[in-house]
Amino acid sequence: MTVVLTAARQNFHHALTESHTLTLSPEGVASNADGSQKTSIAIGLGIATDLAAQTVATKLQGQKAGKQFEGAVESFLKETFPSFQSLRPGSWIIENVGGSRSEYQISKYEPYTHLASLASAIEKDPALASVLGNSYEISPDILVLRKPEKDTVINGDQPLVDSAFGRHSVIRESNQDRPIVHAIVSCKWTLRSDRAQNARSEALNIIRNRKGRTPHIAVVTAEPSPSRLASLALGTGDIDTVYHFALPELSEAVGKTDNDEAISMLETLISGKRLRDISDLPLDLTV
């Protein structure tokens, strides 16, 4: 019998190929590969072939491919993470807010509700924007949210809380009823130009602007080039981990290139715990 995580990963890849997000050109260039780089083409072809991508005359525009990638990641998380109640109990919401592209979408939830007041202040006094710059901007793709718990649930096994103390914790519905941001997942179909640095900048804003525990900060990408993956994954302090949409397939494809630099870089990213497969993401979110 196929387990939930394996089935969800298969469904995830099937969604990407059926929606023509991941395709091959008649010349054998994958839709996530850089057509000007020999190594990127070779790796992309290997992954796309393993995942049974279709050959099409014209690939999707980058924005549409990115949006469909977000949707596939959202569906994968909905299919997996809430099922791990044995590791991380709770009432969970997986929400794709990428379409709104509003830095204040996150202000609906703890611990970022104060950003709504900041937005209002900036609208009244535009000079504040010149002072703050973009240090308050957070435009997430996917949010993993936990609903606060009723006291009856908290006290389910034994009396733990009453009306006297614990009056400020956001996990108690009696204190506040807004969902709590457990994780922020950024989706990057590829890592061209400055997209890696954009992900880092947003991660730092997530850390700096919170009023509470830092959420998990993850990036999921389909980028085939190890050097471009390294531009985002290497180092620590902002992003928790980068997750590849098909890491075993990537490893196999990179190994077949005979490119020692690419092989060494990918090994460094994996052994250094900076790059994991998307199937690791729901498990990591339980920590």
Side-chain angles (χ1 to χ4, degrees):
M1 183 177 68
T2 304
V3 300
V4 169
L5 196 59
T6 300
R9 190 179 188 275
Q10 292 170 348
N11 293 340
F12 170 67
H13 291 145
H14 182 72
L16 291 175
T17 56
E18 286 299 300
S19 65
H20 287 185
T21 307
L22 179 65
T23 59
L24 284 168
S25 73
E27 296 75 31
V29 179
S31 55
N32 59 332
D34 185 341
S36 66
Q37 290 191 0
K38 181 180 177 180
T39 300
S40 179
I41 293 173
I43 297 171
L45 175 60
I47 296 172
T49 301
D50 277 352
L51 299 181
Q54 302 176 46
T55 299
V56 299
T58 306
K59 71 176 184 179
L60 296 178
Q61 292 296 318
Q63 188 173 6
K64 185 172 183 180
K67 185 60 183 173
Q68 291 184 176
F69 185 55
E70 284 179 22
V73 173
E74 176 193 19
S75 296
F76 173 79
L77 287 174
K78 284 181 175 179
E79 192 175 348
T80 55
F81 177 62
S83 299
F84 286 97
Q85 292 288 320
S86 59
L87 294 177
R88 180 62 108 165
S91 180
W92 300 99
I93 303 168
I94 315 292
E95 185 174 0
N96 183 355
V97 297
S100 67
R101 295 301 171 202
S102 169
E103 60 265 29
Y104 304 116
Q105 183 73 20
I106 200 171
S107 67
K108 298 178 182 177
Y109 312 114
E110 293 290 344
Y112 296 99
T113 55
H114 61 285
L115 292 181
S117 299
L118 180 59
S120 177
I122 289 172
E123 288 177 4
K124 294 176 181 177
D125 184 4
L128 284 174
S130 65
V131 175
L132 295 172
N134 65 351
S135 63
Y136 60 91
E137 293 181 358
I138 303 172
S139 303
D141 293 329
I142 297 172
L143 296 175
V144 180
L145 307 165
R146 182 175 183 176
K147 293 181 180 179
E149 300 288 355
K150 296 181 181 296
D151 284 359
T152 52
V153 174
I154 297 172
N155 293 329
D157 295 329
Q158 59 178 309
L160 294 172
V161 296
D162 58 22
S163 60
F165 299 104
R167 300 305 306 164
H168 301 287
S169 175
V170 296
I171 194 63
R172 294 181 69 180
E173 190 183 78
S174 59
N175 293 341
Q176 66 89 33
D177 61 1
R178 292 177 295 272
I180 305 155
V181 179
H182 177 72
I184 296 175
V185 182
S186 178
C187 302
K188 305 291 183 185
W189 177 236
T190 60
L191 293 174
R192 307 294 187 265
S193 63
D194 61 349
R195 292 176 192 171
Q197 296 311 311
N198 286 347
R200 286 187 180 278
S201 297
E202 181 158 286
L204 289 173
N205 288 346
I206 290 166
I207 295 169
R208 291 166 179 163
N209 286 289
R210 77 196 190 281
K211 287 192 175 181
R213 182 187 62 82
T214 303
H216 287 274
I217 304 172
V219 177
V220 179
T221 183
E223 173 60 50
S225 169
S227 62
R228 286 180 174 164
L229 289 168
S231 71
L232 179 60
L234 283 182
T236 57
D238 36 35
I239 296 164
D240 293 354
T241 310
V242 176
Y243 297 85
H244 198 267
F245 89 126
L247 186 57
E249 293 83 356
L250 172 68
S251 296
E252 184 176 352
V254 170
K256 291 178 179 178
T257 65
D258 294 325
N259 184 321
D260 291 341
E261 184 178 349
I263 293 170
S264 176
M265 179 56 70
L266 185 61
E267 288 178 349
T268 296
L269 294 176
I270 296 173
S271 64
K273 301 180 181 179
R274 301 305 299 145
L275 185 66
R276 299 178 183 175
D277 184 64
I278 190 169
S279 60
D280 296 305
L281 177 55
L283 286 163
D284 287 348
L285 292 180
T286 68
V287 176

